């Protein structure tokens, strides 16, 4: 009779563990994901420091609120929320056409400078940007929400990687762009409603009010009374850089006025107005306005969608770093 060997499961489990550990640097399988309270005692006052900087800059210039919100969106939609949009350089994301009008870089750098004094090499620029966006929205009258922290900063920033939803995009194109980032159609509508604060340059939308689709006439979905109002602010021979509020009548207050404007044909951007004319997105707008059951509370839904967006393709482990200077040359 042959000899028997006792089976030891450790012989199987140990090699399996070693395989997983060897791959951990590639998959970040064992590394923590962003969470609230991430910094703990390592930087217990991170949120209060960022909040203080945001408050002073909001008082100095309320336009910093939509500027930082837009910057956060542009950052997350290009290689994830890694503060790569902050990096300087001749071919960085900042030099791409959609990013040339971004504002608020100084705000993030100011917060970073203070945090480097309080907690050196601890808080990422990506986390600062996420916190600042939340705090600016809140100061403008919007919701407050807990921001999961623990992102790292990206090392790569290339203008050629900047592909963002555009001001003339159809709902179908916008849905595709958002789905690529694991955001659904409701997220699309809710995040687009962030245009309740901020402005857009005439060059972005002027054709829509004069020569829509080369017809020689304005976009027929625009309310007739709205056409001359915008034409007066953005004449054909006027400065293309002139800024016009995205939410007519309430451009500096975070509220549902933007959604009501879509309902009344007063959306400035084509990509916004189609959210009302499209049969898939219109019911979401109606629910946010309390016109269709079940109702959606705009502030609550915006906070949820922002939390989702702020965790797009985040960098952890060996994928990123913590910069000393947020706008370092790439």
């Amino acid at each position: 009779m042959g000899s028997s060997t006792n089976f030891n499961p450790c012989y199987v489990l140990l090699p399996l563990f070693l395989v997983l550990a060897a791959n951990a640097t590639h998959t970040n399988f064992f590394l923590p994901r962003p969470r609230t309270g991430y910094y703990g005692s390592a930087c217990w006052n991170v949120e209060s420091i960022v909040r203080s900087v945001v408050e002073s800059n909001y008082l100095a210039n309320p336009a910093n609120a939509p500027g930082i919100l837009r910057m956060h969106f542009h950052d997350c939609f290009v290689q994830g929320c890694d503060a790569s949009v902050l990096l300087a350089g001749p071919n960085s994301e900042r030099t791409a056409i959609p990013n040339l009008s971004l504002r608020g870089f100084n705000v993030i750098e100011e917060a970073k400078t203070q945090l480097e004094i309080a907690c050196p090499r601890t808080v990422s620029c990506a986390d600062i940007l996420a916190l600042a966006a939340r705090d600016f929205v809140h100061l403008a009258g919007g919701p407050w929400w807990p921001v999961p922290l623990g992102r790292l900063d990206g090392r790569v920033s290339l203008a050629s990687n900047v592909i963002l939803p555009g001001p003339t995009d159809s709902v179908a194109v916008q849905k595709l762009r958002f789905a690529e980032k694991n955001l659904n159609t409701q997220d699309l509508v809710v995040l687009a409603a962030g245009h309740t604060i901020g402005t857009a340059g005439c060059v972005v939308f002027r054709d829509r009010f004069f020569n829509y689709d080369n017809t020689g006439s304005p976009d027929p979905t625009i309310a007739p009374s709205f056409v001359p109002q915008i034409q007066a602010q953005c004449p054909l021979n006027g400065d293309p850089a002139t800024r016009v509020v995205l939410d007519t009548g309430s451009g500096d207050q975070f509220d549902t006025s933007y959604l009501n404007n879509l309902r009344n044909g007063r959306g400035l951007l084509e990509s916004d107005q189609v959210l009302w004319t499209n049969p898939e997105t219109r019911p979401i707008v109606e629910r946010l306005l309390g016109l269709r059951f079940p109702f959606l509370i705009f502030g609550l839904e915006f906070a949820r969608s922002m939390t989702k967006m702020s965790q797009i393709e985040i960098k952890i482990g060996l994928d990123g770093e913590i910069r000393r200077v947020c706008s370092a040359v790439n």
Side-chain angles (χ1 to χ4, degrees):
M1 180 181 292
S3 62
S4 62
T5 303
N6 292 330
F7 173 73
N8 189 337
C10 291
Y11 295 145
V12 175
L13 294 179
L14 183 57
L16 176 60
F17 176 80
L18 292 174
V19 170
L20 289 173
N23 289 327
T25 56
H26 301 292
T27 64
N28 292 321
F29 184 81
F30 295 103
L31 296 173
R33 309 296 292 181
R35 66 182 189 276
T36 55
Y38 172 84
Y39 291 104
S41 60
C43 196
W44 62 270
N45 55 347
V46 54
E47 297 208 25
S48 62
I49 290 174
V50 173
R51 176 77 179 194
S52 177
V53 171
V54 167
E55 286 176 344
S56 63
N57 280 276
Y58 182 77
L59 289 173
N61 184 5
N64 279 316
I68 293 296
L69 177 59
R70 181 169 175 244
M71 184 188 296
H72 187 35
F73 180 91
H74 282 214
D75 181 47
C76 290
F77 265 67
V78 180
Q79 299 190 122
C81 307
D82 64 352
S84 56
V85 73
L86 298 172
L87 287 169
N91 298 301
S92 67
E93 292 174 29
R94 290 171 65 163
T95 67
I97 291 176
N99 291 337
L100 292 177
S101 59
L102 289 179
R103 68 169 73 198
F105 294 100
N106 61 303
V107 177
I108 306 303
E109 207 61 69
E110 181 181 343
K112 179 61 171 175
T113 298
Q114 293 193 21
L115 284 166
E116 282 300 300
I117 295 172
C119 324
R121 298 304 297 271
T122 301
V123 181
S124 68
C125 302
D127 277 350
I128 295 171
L129 182 53
L131 286 170
R134 187 272 311 275
D135 290 343
F136 271 118
V137 165
H138 190 228
L139 288 172
W144 185 95
W145 62 92
V147 176
L149 301 175
R151 304 163 189 77
L152 291 180
D153 299 323
R155 300 184 180 92
V156 177
S157 181
L158 296 172
S160 57
N161 289 334
V162 178
I163 302 174
L164 295 163
T168 62
D169 284 349
S170 65
V171 168
V173 171
Q174 293 183 72
K175 283 179 58 181
L176 177 62
R177 296 276 184 250
F178 275 69
E180 289 171 347
K181 305 301 178 183
N182 293 317
L183 297 172
N184 59 35
T185 305
Q186 182 171 304
D187 295 320
L188 157 61
V189 175
V190 169
L191 292 173
H195 285 163
T196 182
I197 54 176
T199 61
C202 289
V203 67
V204 172
F205 57 84
R206 184 162 51 192
D207 283 351
R208 181 173 177 247
F209 287 82
F210 285 95
N211 184 27
Y212 177 67
D213 205 19
N214 294 317
T215 61
S217 302
D219 181 346
T221 65
I222 304 173
S225 62
F226 193 46
V227 173
Q229 179 180 337
I230 300 302
Q231 287 180 337
Q233 295 180 69
C234 292
L236 279 175
N237 59 348
D239 184 354
T242 297
R243 310 292 296 183
V244 177
V245 294
L246 288 160
D247 184 3
T248 302
S250 182
D252 58 357
Q253 187 66 29
F254 201 95
D255 53 25
T256 57
S257 172
Y258 158 91
L259 297 167
N260 265 312
N261 278 335
L262 299 187
R263 179 188 178 200
N264 295 321
R266 299 172 69 84
L268 190 65
L269 305 181
E270 182 179 0
S271 57
D272 287 345
Q273 191 59 54
V274 293
L275 299 178
W276 179 259
T277 58
N278 183 278
E280 182 177 1
T281 51
R282 178 169 176 166
I284 300 173
V285 176
E286 292 175 329
R287 292 176 65 194
L288 289 165
L289 286 172
L291 302 175
R292 178 188 288 260
F293 187 81
F295 304 145
L296 293 172
I297 300 173
F298 175 47
L300 177 61
E301 297 306 326
F302 189 81
R304 286 175 176 169
S305 292
M306 282 293 290
T307 300
K308 287 177 64 176
M309 187 193 78
S310 73
Q311 298 184 75
I312 294 174
E313 300 168 25
I314 54 169
K315 307 295 188 294
I316 57 175
L318 298 180
D319 294 339
E321 63 182 358
I322 295 177
R323 294 183 215 137
R324 282 196 176 94
V325 178
C326 291
S327 57
V329 176
N330 182 41

